[in-house]
Amino acid sequence: MSSLQVRCPQCHTLSGYTTANKWRPFCSERCKMIDLGAWASDAYSIVGKAIEGDDALEQPLLDDNEQRVVGGTPSPNQH
């Protein structure tokens, strides 16, 4: 019984798609890290309309009566 062979998404060489290949579907750690770096640097993208930011996420999560702790000492909440 032969193991399933797949093409590495990075360099396109054939490699075994088994539990013995700890970098699957990549052929090596190098190819896996190159791909990770491409994702981290936004080299890959999905075509489509940009999503507007959520303003609620940009607002502080404190009420007007709460204090923000900076450097271990409470300081007034500044808006």
Side-chain angles (χ1 to χ4, degrees):
M1 176 194 249
S2 64
S3 66
L4 177 64
Q5 296 285 306
V6 296
R7 296 225 177 254
C8 173
Q10 189 62 42
C11 70
H12 308 290
T13 61
L14 285 174
S15 62
Y17 193 80
T18 66
T19 55
N21 178 0
K22 63 182 177 181
W23 302 291
R24 67 183 180 275
F26 301 97
C27 66
S28 65
E29 183 179 20
R30 178 181 178 273
C31 283
K32 183 178 180 180
M33 297 308 290
I34 290 170
D35 187 72
L36 179 62
W39 280 106
S41 66
D42 291 329
Y44 300 134
S45 63
I46 298 172
V47 179
K49 184 178 176 184
I51 298 173
E52 295 296 323
D54 187 350
D55 292 335
L57 295 175
E58 297 172 5
Q59 300 299 318
L61 298 177
L62 302 174
D63 294 334
D64 290 336
N65 298 338
E66 293 182 278
Q67 292 183 340
R68 183 180 310 255
V69 176
V70 179
T73 60
S75 63
N77 185 15
Q78 299 173 359
H79 289 282

